[in-house]
Amino acid sequence: MERLTTPAEDGFYFPAEFAPIDQVWLAWPERSDNWRDGAKPAQQTFARIANAIASVTPVRVAVSAQQWVNARAQLDEKVELVEMAYNDAWMRDIGPTVLVDGKGQRRGVSWRFNAWGGEFNGLYADWLADDQVAAKVCQHIGIEHYQAPFVLEGGSIHSDGEGTLYTTEECLLSPGRNPQLSKAQLEQHLADYLGIRKVIWLPNGLYNDETDGHVDNILHVIAPGKVVLSWTDDPNDPQYSLSRLAEQALKAQTDAMGRTIEIIRLPLPGPLYYSEQEASGVDASQGMVRDAGERLSASYANFLIVNQHVFLPLLDDKVDQQAVAILQSALPSYTIVGIPAREVLLGGGNIHCISQQIPAPYVLAK
């Protein structure tokens, strides 16, 4: 059922990813104009990721009727399949952002979705099915939802669960999202629909990110007042200046609780690029660039936190273990689960982008 009030009015807020998680949702990839070789390599990787998460918390995977048998054969028997229509498999962006009220209740938010830019620079022309996924997921879980009156994707926001929201100007202020809204109006919408008190804006996301710079590819909130930031020390890398601008923005302000933000630099893999073989396996399309030699928007920050576990994409043999070590040092009580994830990267994102956590309906201690 759709609510006609706002979450903030009703006392709901966006919890952190490191808060207790009840379940995780993914969607099964099949678009041949995004996933190479008929999506078969991507499906194997998605299955590996879903099965790994399922060892920690219940996993549900949206799947088309045509792919049901194939998905069932590759996914662990613990993973529940849910037949559903969608246009592509980015559950972070098409699924609901689920809020809690600290009293044991949950409600979802369905954002308007327009394929990362609509007619201005969207990645595909038909996104109608995607735009209906969030409400369907909420219905399946058995929670009410709010329909937000503006365009947003789940990958463009990170929360510390204590009133602070992190995002990028590059994405939320891009002409393809909400050109009718000012920055101040957007901040008010974010406060209304996420129950947050302060927005921390980074100027840009990761270099060459076709989502117009989603925050989840450059930064991840790992504890209150503590973030990891994608980083390179190569002055010839176009990401060099972007990461430094992001760090300056984070250092220039405090979070909603007045804390100085602790920044942990997380090295980038690569640089990584599409190979001839990888690019040739994708059906040509107007919106998505999949050319040999194209820079991949690769990042270790695009991980998923689930109940004291970090599901981390492994992308570069030369850097993987350094990234694992940095995260293990920053999160000593967490289990770091590395999963080879280049096939997800080839589609334009990574483990965080293809997953959407549903928080547990916990009650705040008095």
Side-chain angles (χ1 to χ4, degrees):
M1 189 176 86
E2 183 181 328
R3 304 287 303 191
L4 299 180
T5 51
T6 68
E9 285 177 312
D10 297 338
F12 285 83
Y13 68 93
F14 184 18
E17 200 171 301
F18 48 80
I21 301 301
D22 179 55
Q23 60 190 265
V24 172
W25 280 70
L26 296 88
W28 191 250
E30 58 178 293
R31 279 185 84 109
S32 60
D33 62 351
N34 190 32
W35 308 103
R36 71 187 182 110
D37 302 338
K40 290 181 178 64
Q43 289 168 357
Q44 292 174 354
T45 301
F46 271 62
R48 192 177 303 139
I49 293 165
N51 292 341
I53 299 169
S55 68
V56 172
T57 197
V59 171
R60 289 168 166 165
V61 176
V63 62
S64 68
Q66 297 90 331
Q67 283 288 326
W68 182 283
V69 173
N70 179 29
R72 185 71 281 168
Q74 297 191 57
L75 291 164
D76 190 287
E77 61 183 11
K78 293 196 297 280
V79 175
E80 179 187 342
L81 297 189
V82 181
E83 187 177 330
M84 194 178 292
Y86 51 92
N87 301 107
D88 203 1
W90 303 105
M91 187 56 83
R92 174 68 46 181
D93 294 341
I94 63 177
T97 299
V98 176
L99 315 180
V100 297
D101 66 355
K103 301 173 185 175
Q105 294 189 93
R106 296 177 295 185
R107 288 181 189 161
V109 179
S110 171
W111 311 106
R112 285 185 182 167
F113 181 78
N114 70 353
W116 309 276
E119 293 181 6
F120 178 74
N121 66 340
L123 299 186
Y124 41 79
D126 179 11
W127 56 79
L128 182 62
D130 279 343
D131 198 30
Q132 298 172 354
V133 166
K136 291 178 181 177
V137 169
C138 289
Q139 184 177 10
H140 191 87
I141 298 169
I143 61 173
E144 296 176 306
H145 74 278
Y146 303 87
Q147 177 56 57
F150 61 108
V151 174
L152 191 86
E153 304 95 35
S156 69
I157 50 174
H158 262 313
S159 170
D160 70 351
E162 297 186 359
T164 312
L165 192 78
Y166 296 81
T167 189
T168 70
E169 294 177 348
E170 179 186 358
C171 181
L172 262 60
L173 302 183
S174 65
R177 300 305 198 283
N178 301 287
Q180 77 285 4
L181 297 177
S182 67
K183 189 175 181 180
Q185 288 172 319
L186 267 170
E187 287 196 355
Q188 186 59 55
H189 273 321
L190 293 168
D192 290 342
Y193 282 86
L194 292 167
I196 53 96
R197 300 190 306 281
K198 183 168 186 176
V199 181
I200 292 182
W201 296 87
L202 303 189
N204 302 95
L206 209 65
Y207 173 72
N208 210 35
D209 186 338
E210 64 188 3
T211 66
D212 300 316
H214 272 185
V215 76
D216 69 353
N217 224 14
I218 191 170
L219 174 146
H220 207 302
V221 185
I222 60 171
K226 190 174 182 179
V227 304
V228 295
L229 178 66
S230 295
W231 194 261
T232 178
D233 284 317
D234 177 4
N236 296 314
D237 191 318
Q239 185 58 40
Y240 181 88
S241 60
L242 299 179
S243 291
R244 279 153 182 78
L245 287 170
E247 188 179 62
Q248 290 168 18
L250 291 166
K251 286 181 173 179
Q253 54 196 313
T254 56
D255 67 13
M257 301 292 282
R259 286 178 292 240
T260 300
I261 300 161
E262 181 183 351
I263 304 161
I264 296 165
R265 296 173 177 178
L266 194 60
L268 287 174
L272 306 177
Y273 304 90
Y274 286 100
S275 70
E276 289 278 0
Q277 182 182 9
E278 289 165 344
S280 66
V282 180
D283 293 348
S285 73
Q286 286 188 316
M288 296 177 278
V289 178
R290 303 288 181 261
D291 295 334
E294 178 79 11
R295 171 84 175 257
L296 292 161
S297 192
S299 161
Y300 292 114
N302 207 303
F303 56 80
L304 176 71
I305 300 175
V306 184
N307 297 337
Q308 299 294 115
H309 290 70
V310 171
F311 294 94
L312 177 73
L314 300 181
L315 299 165
D316 182 351
D317 290 342
K318 299 183 184 71
V319 192
D320 287 345
Q321 292 313 307
Q322 186 184 354
V324 170
I326 289 170
L327 285 170
Q328 192 66 80
S329 175
L331 296 165
S333 65
Y334 283 61
T335 301
I336 313 296
V337 182
I339 305 172
R342 184 176 174 94
E343 292 298 336
V344 185
L345 175 62
L346 295 175
N350 227 294
I351 292 176
H352 196 260
C353 302
I354 65 170
S355 58
Q356 180 59 278
Q357 77 278 356
I358 309 299
Y362 51 90
V363 177
L364 289 174
K366 296 294 184 188

